[in-house]
Amino acid sequence: MSDDEREFRIETDAIHAGQEPDEETGALMTPIYANSTYQQDAPGEHRGYEYSRTGNPTRADMEQNVAALEGGEYGRAFASGMGGINTVLNLLESGDHVVAGDDIYGGTHRIFTQVYEQYDLAFDFVDTTDLDAVRDAMGESTELLWVETPTNPLLNVNDISALADVAHEYGALCAVDNTFATPYLQRPLELGADVVSHSLTKYLGGHSDVVGGALVTDDEALDADIGFYQNSVGATPSPFDCFLVLRGTKTLPVRMDRHCENARALATWLQDHDAVDRVYYPGLESHPQHDLAAEQMDDFGGMLSFELDGSLEEASTVVSETEVFTLAESLGGVESLIEQPAAMTHAAIPREERLAAGLSDGLIRVSVGVEHIDDMKADLNAAFDQAL
Ligand SMILES: *Cc1c(COP(=O)(O)O)cnc(C)c1O
């Protein structure tokens, strides 16, 4: 569904899609349907819900809302982003081959290699900015191309439309993890992807108070398969968690506008700062895929990374000294977070491998929140003074 085909624009869908006022009471917000089971009118005759692992009205409204944001027909929610990713892997059979980016989310790399390799799935990790490298890795048994963009923590940008074409040449599904960009900035289904994956924990929830996941597709048969595994595996979210996500998605567009504005201002300021060696942000003209990002995304997002002109220890001091930026993993909430990938989110990757991937010891990643930009700059300046 392109923007002109949508009935409403995304700002309107964020607030209204899946959210009809309750017919009986007029209550505006979908209630938290805290029940496991539903009365049946006759044996096997129910009113759309029979058991809450299979379906729950609060979850159904959230699934519809997230699907509408992506411009997709079908949405399915999970207890975490990993629950959704697991379900995509459930679609495969032993002997199948998967091609994925070489700088994907660590948890995705872990479930691929440490969980599914033992079930005889094979994985190849390649630089997905290099289409020839992707083609070289694809083969007869390749059933899935897994794409993330922008990537974490180096903010590389991958060409979704070109990668979807390569996947389809080989009869493989193209799945895009759209957690970093969000549907407000980038809609992979419009660009040819078959399924979009989200960690609702990040921008869609937006307040660092819930863990959740979602898969969205336009393909009815694919959605039916996803629904089968959602119900069979049972990694479904609670009605309360679905309520929190619905509360978050309403403000996604306004939050993202501020995240993007602050991140752009901070990236530009860091780029000119004496204490900083290099900034990774797709919105900077110095970014290697800046043109692609400008074409594929409506804005450049709220995540950025930078390298200090210093060591691992000095980077550790900076991330420990900030006050406006909280030292924590995760991202996408209204508050600014700071972390050191080499010691935190990406510590599991052997140092040599990390350095080869361009991820230095001194790299610092920030999730730029919606606080005042001047407070952020002053906070970083004070931390740089402490460290350097
Ligand atoms: C956080 C994250 C995930 C995993 O989601 P959880 O909700 O933590 O299970 C997957 N992909 C990306 C890009 C993420 O940032």
Side-chain angles (χ1 to χ4, degrees):
M1 212 187 306
S2 76
D3 229 23
D4 336 317
E5 286 171 68
R6 281 175 180 275
E7 187 181 357
F8 297 112
R9 289 172 180 78
I10 193 167
E11 292 82 351
T12 310
D13 271 343
I15 292 166
H16 295 290
Q19 295 264 275
E20 293 293 329
D22 183 59
E23 275 184 26
E24 221 167 285
T25 63
L28 241 54
M29 296 306 136
T30 302
I32 301 166
Y33 283 90
N35 49 168
S36 58
T37 192
Y38 305 81
Q39 183 190 36
Q40 304 205 357
D41 298 325
E45 255 179 57
H46 56 79
R47 292 165 238 167
Y49 296 99
E50 50 199 315
Y51 187 62
S52 273
R53 167 163 39 72
T54 317
N56 173 282
T58 318
R59 187 175 100 207
D61 282 7
M62 186 268 267
E63 290 175 330
Q64 216 182 315
N65 182 267
V66 172
L69 293 177
E70 284 290 353
E73 284 289 326
Y74 310 99
R76 299 275 177 182
F78 299 89
S80 68
M82 292 315 304
I85 293 168
N86 178 66
T87 304
V88 174
L89 294 166
N90 289 159
L91 300 169
L92 305 179
E93 290 173 4
S94 67
D96 285 350
H97 174 243
V98 178
V99 175
D102 60 5
D103 57 350
I104 54 172
Y105 177 70
T108 307
H109 189 274
R110 180 176 55 207
I111 195 173
F112 284 2
T113 56
Q114 294 185 47
V115 180
Y116 278 94
E117 271 185 358
Q118 67 185 340
Y119 297 112
D120 200 24
L121 293 182
F123 297 88
D124 269 312
F125 299 94
V126 299
D127 175 357
T128 36
T129 63
D130 179 350
L131 291 177
D132 290 333
V134 176
R135 269 199 199 88
D136 285 348
M138 304 285 292
E140 287 268 303
S141 60
T142 310
E143 294 294 333
L144 175 67
L145 174 60
W146 186 268
V147 179
E148 225 175 85
T149 181
T151 65
N152 174 18
L154 293 175
L155 288 312
N156 287 314
V157 178
N158 289 303
D159 188 335
I160 295 172
S161 156
L163 287 164
D165 284 348
V166 173
H168 297 154
E169 272 170 43
Y170 288 83
L173 281 181
C174 177
V176 176
D177 184 331
N178 204 27
T179 301
F180 265 44
T182 85
Y184 184 61
L185 305 181
Q186 171 176 284
R187 287 157 306 279
L189 296 178
E190 286 173 10
L191 298 168
D194 301 292
V195 58
V196 176
S197 173
H198 272 286
S199 169
L200 302 171
T201 316
K202 316 294 168 51
Y203 288 105
L204 270 61
H207 297 77
S208 307
D209 55 7
V210 63
V211 172
L215 296 176
V216 179
T217 181
D218 268 335
D219 181 328
E220 191 177 358
L222 186 59
D223 174 66
D225 288 346
I226 291 170
F228 171 78
Y229 289 108
Q230 179 195 39
N231 185 44
S232 302
V233 173
T236 51
S238 76
F240 180 66
D241 288 352
C242 296
F243 170 84
L244 284 176
V245 172
L246 269 175
R247 204 183 157 141
T249 53
K250 288 191 179 62
T251 55
L252 176 74
V254 288
R255 285 186 283 110
M256 289 313 294
D257 279 344
R258 183 62 67 85
H259 283 298
C260 292
E261 180 189 328
N262 279 350
R264 184 169 34 245
L266 201 66
T268 310
W269 177 78
L270 285 167
Q271 184 170 244
D272 294 334
H273 201 293
D274 287 343
V276 176
D277 226 20
R278 183 159 177 202
V279 182
Y280 300 84
Y281 183 64
L284 293 176
E285 273 176 32
S286 58
H287 187 283
Q289 296 102 29
H290 172 70
D291 291 343
L292 171 62
E295 199 180 311
Q296 178 167 279
M297 303 172 74
D298 293 328
D299 206 335
F300 302 102
M303 296 300 298
L304 64 85
S305 295
F306 61 95
E307 259 154 34
L308 279 184
D309 204 4
S311 63
L312 181 89
E313 288 69 31
E314 284 163 332
S316 298
T317 306
V318 168
V319 300
S320 310
E321 289 298 328
T322 51
E323 285 176 11
V324 176
F325 290 87
T326 304
L327 177 59
E329 297 189 3
S330 198
L331 59 114
V334 288
E335 59 287 307
S336 291
L337 302 179
I338 194 163
E339 68 117 357
Q340 189 179 9
M344 296 169 66
T345 48
H346 295 66
I349 307 174
R351 185 164 184 271
E352 289 313 309
E353 222 178 288
R354 240 196 303 116
L355 293 177
L359 209 163
S360 71
D361 288 339
L363 190 78
I364 293 174
R365 187 191 80 179
V366 297
S367 173
V368 183
V370 301
E371 300 97 334
H372 199 288
I373 183 68
D374 292 345
D375 293 330
M376 294 184 194
K377 291 178 185 169
D379 191 37
L380 286 175
N381 262 338
F384 292 159
D385 286 346
Q386 292 269 342
L388 304 169

